[in-house]
């Protein structure tokens, strides 16, 4: 957003609630995300750095873990690297490797189910909104565990959009190719691979950072998303799992 667009945005949102972005320190109203009518999300995006709800939650978690686990001395494997985190993670970690199967500008092109890295190659793995695209999610998480060193950490997020996880027969093109619809129980699938799991939710963070998804999910199921559940409420918590080796 350029200066002129930003002034227009502030005038239009004089009465909107004010938030704070933990990534770029912006203070003020956030923008509505409009990826499609059904998915319109209020107070979603920071107008300065473009951070989304989940990215602010993930950033707050990374900040909390950073000092306890001395990230500045550690190596990170970053899957499907979000542009907003690329430079920030390079400042946070001693070494960063980006990877993805489809994205062109990554360090290593790789399938998460067959990673081309030796055992115990990394200290931290960051994996956001990847597993909901992977049918063999168990195999993927076994690979994540395999490439982590002892004392390693995996930060994992999948979109939580129903009460209990269900698998789809085939990827739903109307849901970005997701192969399942994920509930809070999803993260429990992988606890046996790790020593410990800690779940963070939006409720763990101050409201000033706007860590929730404000979206109307009562309209489901729809013809495009026949297996989505109607979810009551105006706002929905984000959930992130941190697995400890
Ligand atoms: Zn920001």
């Amino acid at each position: 957003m350029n200066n002129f667009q930003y002034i227009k945005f502030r005038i239009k949102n004089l009465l909107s609630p004010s938030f704070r972005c933990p990534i770029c320190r912006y203070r003020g109203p956030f923008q509505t995300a409009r990826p499609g009518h059904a998915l319109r999300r209020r107070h979603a995006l920071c107008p300065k750095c473009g951070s989304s709800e989940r990215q602010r939650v993930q950033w707050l978690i990374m900040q909390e873990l950073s000092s306890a686990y001395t990230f500045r001395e550690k190596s990170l494997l970053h899957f499907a690297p979000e542009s907003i985190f690329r430079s920030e993670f390079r400042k946070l970690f001693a070494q960063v490797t980006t990877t993805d199967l489809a994205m062109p500008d990554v360090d290593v092109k790789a399938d998460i189910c067959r990673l081309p890295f030796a055992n115990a190659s990394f200290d931290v793995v960051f994996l956001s909104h990847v597993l909901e695209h992977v049918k063999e999610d168990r195999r993927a998480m076994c690979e994540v565990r395999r490439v982590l060193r002892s004392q390693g950490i995996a930060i994992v997020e999948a979109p939580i959009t129903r009460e209990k996880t269900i698998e789809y027969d085939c990827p739903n093109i109307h849901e970005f190719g997701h192969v399942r619809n994920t509930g809070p129980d999803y993260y429990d699938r992988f606890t046996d691979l790790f020593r410990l799991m800690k779940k963070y939710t939006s409720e763990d963070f101050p409201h000033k950072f706007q860590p929730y998804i404000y979206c109307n999910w009562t309209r489901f199921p729809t013809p495009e998303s026949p297996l989505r559940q109607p979810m009551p409420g105006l706002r929905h918590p984000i959930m992130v799992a941190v697995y400890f080796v």
Side-chain angles (χ1 to χ4, degrees), residues 21 24 26 46 48-51:
C21 177
C24 73
Y26 162 86
C46 168
K48 189 173 167 195
C49 73
S51 70

Side-chain angles (χ1 to χ4, degrees), residues 14-234:
L14 277 176
L15 300 177
S16 298
S18 185
F19 301 105
R20 188 174 156 200
C21 177
I23 304 174
C24 73
R25 310 279 175 206
Y26 162 86
R27 286 168 192 264
F30 283 170
Q31 288 178 286
T32 298
R34 303 172 193 277
H37 179 66
L39 297 170
R40 185 173 174 268
R41 308 189 323 266
R42 289 170 55 230
H43 313 308
L45 306 174
C46 168
K48 189 173 167 195
C49 73
S51 70
S52 65
E53 311 91 322
R54 72 170 184 260
Q55 287 163 346
R56 291 189 295 275
V57 170
Q58 292 161 357
W59 181 251
L60 290 163
I61 293 169
M62 294 300 269
Q63 293 298 303
E64 184 179 312
L65 296 171
S66 172
S67 48
Y69 289 90
T70 55
F71 281 177
R72 66 181 182 282
E73 298 167 6
K74 301 286 167 63
S75 61
L76 170 73
L77 179 61
H78 186 186
F79 282 91
E82 307 83 349
S83 54
I84 191 169
F85 285 149
R86 281 179 182 250
S87 58
E88 296 298 334
F89 283 174
R90 288 195 191 277
K91 287 182 227 161
L92 206 58
F93 288 88
Q95 196 248 323
V96 176
T97 303
T98 55
T99 184
D100 192 74
L101 189 58
M103 291 170 78
D105 50 348
V106 292
D107 298 322
V108 180
K109 272 203 167 197
D111 177 350
I112 191 170
C113 293
R114 296 159 196 84
L115 290 176
F117 306 113
N119 295 352
S121 294
F122 301 97
D123 299 299
V124 180
V125 167
F126 188 86
L127 186 64
S128 169
H129 283 228
V130 171
L131 289 180
E132 68 271 21
H133 300 269
V134 180
K135 197 75 192 164
E136 293 179 288
D137 57 344
R138 174 89 189 167
R139 186 164 174 179
M141 284 301 285
C142 285
E143 281 292 85
V144 165
R145 169 64 187 85
R146 182 182 67 75
V147 301
L148 274 170
R149 295 192 177 114
S150 66
Q151 313 293 316
I153 305 173
I155 296 109
V156 178
E157 185 185 344
I160 304 297
T161 47
R162 66 179 288 124
E163 283 165 18
K164 260 192 174 304
T165 305
I166 55 160
E167 298 291 316
Y168 295 169
D169 291 336
C170 57
N172 185 339
I173 55 162
H174 302 291
E175 296 177 15
F176 312 103
H178 293 178
V179 296
R180 68 182 61 80
N181 195 198
T182 313
D185 59 311
Y186 181 66
Y187 296 121
D188 301 336
R189 285 187 183 188
F190 313 113
T191 49
D192 62 309
L193 299 174
F194 296 87
R195 177 174 54 85
L196 188 73
M197 179 205 29
K198 181 176 178 184
K199 279 184 199 170
Y200 289 85
T201 83
S202 302
E203 286 145 24
D204 296 320
F205 301 101
H207 186 253
K208 66 180 176 183
F209 296 127
Q210 209 310 75
Y212 290 91
I213 295 174
Y214 283 81
C215 197
N216 177 9
W217 287 345
T218 59
R219 56 180 289 128
F220 293 110
T222 61
E224 294 79 21
S225 296
L227 297 177
R228 282 281 299 262
Q229 254 181 342
M231 294 281 277
L234 294 174

